[in-house]
Amino acid sequence: MQHVLEQQAGVTDEPVGAAARRRTFAVISHPDAGKSTLTEALALHARAITKAGHVHGKAGRNTTVSDWMEMEQARGISISSAVLQLTYRDTVLNLVDTPGHADFSEDTYRVLTAVDAAIMLIDASKGLEVQTMKLFAVCKHRGIPIITVINKWDRPGKDPLELMDEITERTGLTPTPLTWPVGIAGDFRGVVERDSGDYVAFTPTAGGAEIAPEERMSAGEAAAREGDAWTVAREESQLLAASGAEHDHEMFLGGISTPVLFAAAVRNFGVRRLLDALVELAPAPGPRTDREGQARPLDAPFSAFVFKLQAGMDTAHRDRLAYIRVCSGVFERGMVVTTARTGKPFATKYAQQAFGRDRSLVEVAYPGDVVGLVNASNLRIGDTLHAGPPVQFPALPTFAPEHFAVARGVDTGRYKQFRRGITQLEAEGVVQVLRSDLRGEQAPVLAAVGPMQFEVAESRMSAEFGAPIHLETLGYSVARRTTPAWAPTLSAEWGVEVVHREDGELLVLLPDQWRARSIQRNHPDVVLEPLVAT
Ligand SMILES: Nc1nc2c(ncn2[C@@H]2O[C@H](COP(=O)(O)OP(=O)(O)OP(=O)(O)O)[C@@H](O)[C@H]2O)c(=O)[nH]1
Ligand SMILES: [Mg+2]
């Protein structure tokens, strides 16, 4: 596998130039639009893998490189985001495949704090779905430029102009297609390259497991070959030009427009063009703003933040990996850096690059790179690491949980394992863990945005930590923030419970909003603040 550029120890570039050759982005969308399939197709085209594990529908599918967890493989969905680093045209692409399911949106939102651009996938037959709209809103809020990919064009779907209208109306973004499909959805023959007017014809390969050959030809040749399908595509493309749907770099970077590409990830159609667009259009890493609103220059000493923690990726090693995004300077394996939260040193003895389940050692990394630090048991999500002058990047968003359950070890003799497992899941952000003296350490409350997070917690507790748990669902659906002064009053209320979270927040669990309002009526000064993610 040759997916790394710099691997020689002792040879480093200067960070500004290296950053210019990097693109860091996430693939986002509603479940099932084809993110993992596209991720794999991008890896295939960047020649990081030689054969795509072709996907045959959810049931008997071979898994894609980024869907490595057992549960993901069994269900054919992504539960956790996966990081891949690819090299294409001398540019290093740091790509994060995110889970689409709403229950795992905390993971996706954290990833969006670590990237500079997003690929928004739209299923050609479904258009903009609910979860895609939510993720779009986060990108907009964070000022992340978006490249849109209309996927599954090999299947019957909507009219392409109708899809452009949908993007305009629902997102407010101006779609500026770079390619336009020749052949309706379900009859994908190729695309018009809108800047040159050339035709790129696709040829299917067996099962789509290999790079699909592309044939570039002039408009005249295309007309002779594709007849009406070509004429229609040309006319539609000209219609778009007349309505001003042309790429404008400033508008793209400013989140006003979105370049659009048509693809069929499963057949590897349109994937090379997407790699080109990423290299040519996606922004290179720039200076990151810290908690004080100061930008840390790219050539300042090393700094990075942890946006994801994960353990148990490799059952043989049982290690814990902290994924950092490098923000400034040069990372060299072995350097000793400072954890900003504690002021304590952290030795980066082992640094890895993950590729689905595979790993390779990383010697050097630059701004924009995503690196996995091994033995990161003292690191937390949101931690800043730095060399030189101190810096602290903004805290990562946490969500208001809506599902609550008490966890108890099935086997009381395995309490040590139970405790270790719960602490680990908490650190990774798989679930939030809420504690109170009343319930004790043996029976913490797990809190989640979506119930599938509980299933992940349950399965990992038994498979990874050898401490199967029993979950008892609690009748709360709302969590609010309060202060210690109000804790006794609130604890005395019927159907209400006060617990504390590891980050120091004191939370009140309530059956519903109605109960929150009635308590507020009875105690007009009570502190019951909603938990908002930013
Ligand atoms: N026909 C067709 N099917 C596709 C295409 N891309 C993906 N699929 C299929 O769509 C299904 C979902 O693909 P995934 O890549 O797992 O989707 P995802 O967006 O990663 O899903 P989550 O991670 O669960 O949100 C699979 O059965 C794929 O084979 C495509 O271009 N054409
Ligand atoms: Mg996926």
Side-chain angles (χ1 to χ4, degrees), residues 32-34 37-38 121-127 148-167 177 179-192 199-200 202 229 232-233 236 240 260-271:
D32 253 12
T37 309
L38 179 71
L121 230 60
I122 298 178
D123 181 322
S125 69
K126 297 189 175 138
T148 302
V149 173
I150 310 281
N151 191 33
K152 306 199 184 182
W153 200 257
D154 60 316
R155 286 273 183 82
K158 297 189 178 184
D159 174 74
L161 286 171
E162 193 187 317
L163 283 162
M164 296 308 106
D165 286 344
E166 199 175 321
I167 294 172
T179 62
W180 195 253
V182 175
I184 58 167
D187 178 27
F188 198 5
R189 304 183 191 184
V191 293
V192 186
Y199 175 47
V200 175
F202 299 136
V232 171
E236 286 175 341
L240 287 166
V260 179
L261 294 163
F262 286 79
V266 84
R267 291 179 187 271
N268 290 303
F269 287 0
V271 177

Side-chain angles (χ1 to χ4, degrees), residues 29-37 55-58 61 67 76-78 97-101 151-152 154-155 263-267:
S29 78
H30 198 79
D32 253 12
K35 294 175 292 300
S36 299
T37 309
V55 182
H56 298 277
K58 297 257 148 154
R61 83 183 249 193
D67 279 355
I77 63 167
S78 303
D97 173 28
T98 67
H101 200 291
N151 191 33
K152 306 199 184 182
D154 60 316
R155 286 273 183 82
V266 84
R267 291 179 187 271

Side-chain angles (χ1 to χ4, degrees), residues 253-264:
L253 294 180
I256 297 168
S257 67
T258 177
V260 179
L261 294 163
F262 286 79

Side-chain angles (χ1 to χ4, degrees), residues 221-441:
E221 289 168 297
R225 174 164 154 163
E226 306 295 357
D228 284 353
W230 173 256
T231 316
V232 171
R234 273 294 286 260
E235 281 171 7
E236 286 175 341
S237 175
Q238 279 157 6
L239 205 69
L240 287 166
S243 67
E246 302 299 327
H247 176 72
D248 176 306
H249 206 56
E250 291 310 310
M251 296 223 294
F252 161 59
L253 294 180
I256 297 168
S257 67
T258 177
V260 179
L261 294 163
F262 286 79
V266 84
R267 291 179 187 271
N268 290 303
F269 287 0
V271 177
R272 184 196 50 80
R273 189 67 186 81
L274 176 59
L275 285 170
D276 288 332
L278 286 163
V279 171
E280 289 159 17
L281 307 180
R288 285 245 146 188
T289 309
D290 69 9
R291 254 176 224 194
E292 267 76 54
Q294 300 291 321
R296 173 113 166 163
L298 290 173
D299 57 0
F302 166 78
S303 70
F305 67 91
V306 179
F307 68 94
K308 182 178 171 65
L309 284 174
Q310 191 148 53
M313 287 178 75
D314 187 341
T315 37
H317 292 100
R318 294 250 176 261
D319 55 359
R320 179 161 163 193
L321 219 59
Y323 287 97
I324 56 167
R325 174 197 156 113
V326 180
C327 299
S328 67
V330 180
F331 169 86
E332 286 180 81
R333 188 171 73 82
M335 73 197 291
V336 178
V337 296
T338 306
T339 308
R341 176 176 47 84
T342 58
K344 293 204 173 121
F346 179 87
T348 62
K349 195 165 170 199
Y350 300 103
Q352 296 184 336
Q353 184 183 62
F355 187 80
R357 210 168 202 157
D358 299 331
R359 321 253 195 94
S360 53
L361 270 187
V362 170
E363 297 294 344
V364 192
Y366 300 96
D369 281 344
V370 172
V371 172
L373 298 177
V374 187
N375 291 340
S377 46
N378 292 322
L379 295 183
R380 302 218 186 119
I381 282 178
D383 268 352
T384 297
L385 296 174
H386 66 85
V391 60
Q392 213 160 358
F393 293 106
L396 300 197
T398 54
F399 277 39
E402 292 173 20
H403 300 267
F404 304 86
V406 177
R408 286 190 187 85
V410 170
D411 179 354
T412 45
R414 300 187 67 78
Y415 178 61
K416 232 173 71 190
Q417 289 86 340
F418 171 81
R419 208 181 148 122
R420 203 161 54 87
I422 294 288
T423 312
Q424 178 59 35
L425 299 185
E426 174 177 36
E428 285 181 39
V430 171
V431 285
Q432 293 180 27
V433 180
L434 310 174
R435 300 179 169 87
S436 67
D437 292 343
L438 210 66
R439 292 196 181 271
E441 278 290 325

Side-chain angles (χ1 to χ4, degrees), residues 16 23 205 219 248 424 468:
V16 178
R23 305 288 181 269
T205 61
D248 176 306
Q424 178 59 35

